[in-house]
Amino acid sequence: MIRLHFFAFASSTSNLSSAKFNVSVPNFWLLRNFDARNYTNMPLVKEFLLHVPNGTFKITFTPLLQSFAFVNAIEFFMLPLYLVPDKVAIFGYGTNRGLTSYPRSMQAQLLETIYRINVGGENVTRGIDNLWRNWFSDDAYVLNPENAKNSTPYNSLIKYHVGDDSEGPNSNKFTAPNVVYQTAKQIISNSSNLNITWSFAVDKDTDHFLRLHFCDIWNSEFGLAYFNLYIYDNFVMQINNNSDGNLIEPLPSPYYYDYVVHSDDSGVMKISVGPDKTENRISAFLNGLEIMKLSNSSDSVPLEVESKHKYKHLAVVIGAVLGGLVLVGVVVVGFVWRLKTRKQKAAENSDWLPIHVTAVGSSHSRLTEGTIQGSPLPNINLGLKISLIDIQSATSNFDANEIIGKGGFGSVYKGVLKNGLKVAVKRSESGSGQGLPEFQTEIMVLSKIRHRHLVSLIGYCDERNEMILVYEYMEKGTVRDHLYNTNSPTLSWMQRLEICIGAARGLHYLHKGASGGIIHRDVKSSNILLDENYVAKVADFGLSKTGPLDENQSYISTGVKGTFGYLDPEYFRSEQLTEKSDVYSFGVVLVEVLCARSAIDPLLPRDQANLAEWGILCKNKGILEDIIDPSIKGQINPNSLCKFSETFEKCLQEDGCDRPTMRDVLWDLEYALQLQRGAVQREPHEDSSSSTSASLQLHNLRLLPSLSSLSEVEDMSIVKGDESDSAAGSV
């Protein structure tokens, strides 16, 4: 096992974030065109497994042209003999469905760890694992958390019944730590129609090694747990607590299954467990999961480093020791290798784990010092700064009982400031997938705008490596909280219309009223909040793009960020962001408000899984009423439904140029509200082809007037920092 540790910081001699380089070992590339820019203020660790022959072993760092290379630490040690088997079954799906044998020896492959997940439990630190591995919680990857629960074991004493040098499927103490097998996600209901599904972003069209960990921690005897395993929604096998007939009593005895799976072209790998409908026992669970990318050897890896080459190389040579489980070397380094320079300067290095540039305990602010790239952050409102001690006091020192929500950035706490003001405190968490760029963007955007339908930023804190945002407190939570999978009160149709109108006003202000224009880029029902009077306010501006546009350009070229199900397909394909991307996302929200179901539900049939596509299909078939939230079906005026459905249909057009502006959407929604109230007055500019409001019917949808065909409000697109990722929930 090789682990490379990178922590990119700026010093007086180098800004490590600008480094670009390759890393290779004999016959394999570990990293190509790599940069170690740090977005989370945490070390970046790259882990690889490969077969090492006897003798010396070289890891070579090669800077790209006009750049340099660095590494903070290297771990290199031997693994147990059978931790990775030499032969693994391939699971094929689609036309290649079935199990076959992987044609190549696993020892001939390079394995790069992509995910190591403790299902149903908290993060597991390296000090607990016998191979010094970190395991991360699965919550961010669960597609349908409403179907799953973190369960309490019947018996927490894990019984390993095989030796440390044994082959699978039975686990030993090196396969995974006890805490992984002592926690699990279990199906929450006795319904045989439910599955638990995890979704992971992976490289497209690539072989991946999967290891799935199981341990029946509820039953005291064999034969009581039967369920099915699925990959890409295709049945793999039936799992039971003695499926191979060779597990040794007593329970709980851990075991695992290995597969090689070739990822499809979606960039997402789905893994599910669900009840076996042929069995009376309804159960399904998973304890742990590992995903590693397989790479073949490459002829392009240089065999020898030639000194006459224009690139400067540095090879770290480590003596390989054969035998039992031996720690070969933990090399703590702080080297920087530059291109076209003879002097090799060592970057400042302190301890095994890097010390943050802003020392713990310091109140120094990264925002005033500079960004990751080392340049001062413009337009930061220092008047909004709140001291960490005041925030700790407001939240009872971040008491877990004060948590009111969690998102991609971190946990949100309810708090009360010294002046008695109720606030929501969003605190960044390591490994959340979002970091300093989102933090900076949120402050810059919200410190220069104020609107009744945008959540107000009360302040922020940037002390002691904390990134904290303080907002006005929204008593009623998110719109999503009131639509499905919740105990919050159901919203009436009138309330839903008024909420949509409020959110549209907020987005219209962002697009046209704010200085330079702002594109939100992550519009979804969980980012629309409600105050005590159910007034809607748009929130979460960490992915926003701001700034003036060239008059000849109507879009921004930028990496794709957003949330599956709400993402504009045109933006996804072209990486060209416009304000019409927000319009598409808002159209998904409109369908969500009408139907009270999630934007993506992979458990439904393929044509129903994507809510936007399903909504358009039902509308075109004239069966839209069949998918409306049953709690509001009897409340909706048919004319109002006509206008509302026409509005979301226009928002969800494939091409951005065919979508309305947010001003048009706002006008149409207000019109739908008036139709609901039965008090519509004809406007002088209304299309004469439309019938009177009293005679509007669902099948006459296209006869309704549309401001988008009458208005020439110029579209404005936008600009500013990039970065985020989902989790589990982001792209």
Side-chain angles (χ1 to χ4, degrees), residues 106-224:
M106 294 296 287
Q107 289 192 0
Q109 306 292 293
L110 172 73
L111 285 77
E112 179 183 354
T113 302
I114 308 299
Y115 298 98
R116 184 172 287 120
I117 304 297
N118 179 24
V119 178
E122 301 295 328
N123 294 345
V124 177
T125 59
R126 54 185 284 143
I128 297 175
D129 189 286
N130 288 305
L131 295 178
W132 308 286
R133 297 169 296 192
N134 288 314
W135 298 71
F136 296 97
S137 171
D138 69 313
D139 289 341
Y141 307 102
V142 182
L143 282 182
N144 46 359
E146 66 276 8
N147 292 350
K149 64 180 178 181
N150 296 341
S151 59
T152 303
Y154 166 79
N155 188 342
S156 62
L157 180 61
I158 302 302
K159 301 175 177 66
Y160 296 104
H161 299 295
V162 296
D164 298 339
D165 58 351
S166 300
E167 293 190 74
N170 298 306
S171 301
N172 60 48
K173 68 179 183 181
F174 293 113
T175 311
N178 283 2
V179 290
V180 170
Y181 290 121
Q182 288 170 339
T183 59
K185 265 200 171 54
Q186 187 180 24
I187 201 155
I188 204 167
S189 169
N190 286 333
S191 171
S192 61
N193 296 319
L194 296 181
N195 287 349
I196 309 173
T197 300
W198 293 264
S199 175
F200 300 94
V202 296
D203 286 357
K204 300 177 181 180
D205 196 29
T206 302
D207 284 340
H208 291 81
F209 171 75
L210 269 66
R211 172 162 289 176
L212 300 113
H213 298 267
F214 299 95
C215 187
D216 188 348
I217 54 179
W218 304 276
N219 299 308
S220 58
E221 58 184 89
F222 290 124
L224 298 180

Side-chain angles (χ1 to χ4, degrees), residues 201-208 232 262-268 572:
V202 296
D203 286 357
K204 300 177 181 180
D205 196 29
T206 302
D207 284 340
H208 291 81
Y232 282 122
H262 192 79
S263 58
D264 63 16
D265 59 1
S266 70
V268 175
F572 183 81

Side-chain angles (χ1 to χ4, degrees), residues 345-361:
K345 292 187 178 182
E348 298 176 13
N349 183 67
S350 174
D351 199 1
W352 164 225
L353 288 178
I355 295 177
H356 301 303
V357 180
T358 49
V360 174

Side-chain angles (χ1 to χ4, degrees), residues 420-583:
L421 180 65
K422 287 184 180 180
V423 292
V425 177
K426 185 159 67 172
R427 184 190 191 194
S428 174
E429 294 177 356
S430 61
S432 66
Q434 297 187 27
L436 188 58
E438 291 81 8
F439 181 63
Q440 295 170 340
T441 300
E442 188 100 358
I443 296 170
M444 286 190 293
V445 169
L446 286 178
S447 62
K448 66 181 183 181
I449 59 176
R450 280 291 184 273
H451 191 273
R452 168 177 167 79
H453 294 289
L454 300 178
V455 169
S456 297
L457 181 69
I458 305 299
Y460 68 90
C461 176
D462 184 45
E463 297 177 18
R464 303 182 187 179
N465 295 316
E466 294 277 4
M467 290 186 291
I468 300 172
L469 297 165
V470 182
Y471 306 90
E472 61 176 314
Y473 180 65
M474 303 297 285
E475 186 78 37
K476 302 300 183 182
T478 71
V479 170
R480 184 185 189 278
D481 290 340
H482 294 267
L483 293 178
Y484 48 90
N485 302 326
T486 178
N487 294 323
S488 299
T490 301
L491 300 169
S492 69
W493 176 240
M494 286 287 286
Q495 285 177 310
R496 298 185 196 201
L497 280 174
E498 290 169 346
I499 287 168
C500 292
I501 289 170
R505 285 174 178 159
L507 290 171
H508 173 52
Y509 172 78
L510 286 179
H511 292 175
K512 303 302 182 186
S515 174
I518 297 171
I519 300 178
H520 188 282
R521 206 161 54 144
D522 198 18
V523 177
K524 54 186 177 181
S525 59
S526 57
N527 282 342
I528 301 173
L529 307 184
L530 304 174
D531 69 9
E532 67 275 11
N533 298 316
Y534 291 94
V535 173
K537 304 194 179 192
V538 179
D540 201 340
F541 297 85
L543 299 184
S544 298
K545 302 287 271 184
T546 66
L549 286 177
D550 187 286
E551 62 180 7
N552 297 320
Q553 186 179 8
S554 61
Y555 62 85
I556 290 294
S557 294
T558 180
V560 176
K561 305 292 176 186
T563 302
F564 262 147
Y566 299 90
L567 197 61
D568 171 15
E570 184 178 62
Y571 168 40
F572 183 81
R573 289 192 306 268
S574 66
E575 296 190 357
Q576 295 179 352
L577 178 70
T578 74
E579 65 179 35
K580 297 297 185 70
S581 300
D582 279 354
V583 173

Side-chain angles (χ1 to χ4, degrees), residues 244-264:
D244 287 322
N246 59 3
L247 299 182
I248 305 172
E249 292 196 60
L251 291 174
S253 180
Y255 54 102
Y256 62 89
Y257 293 99
D258 294 335
Y259 300 100
V260 169
V261 179
H262 192 79
S263 58
D264 63 16

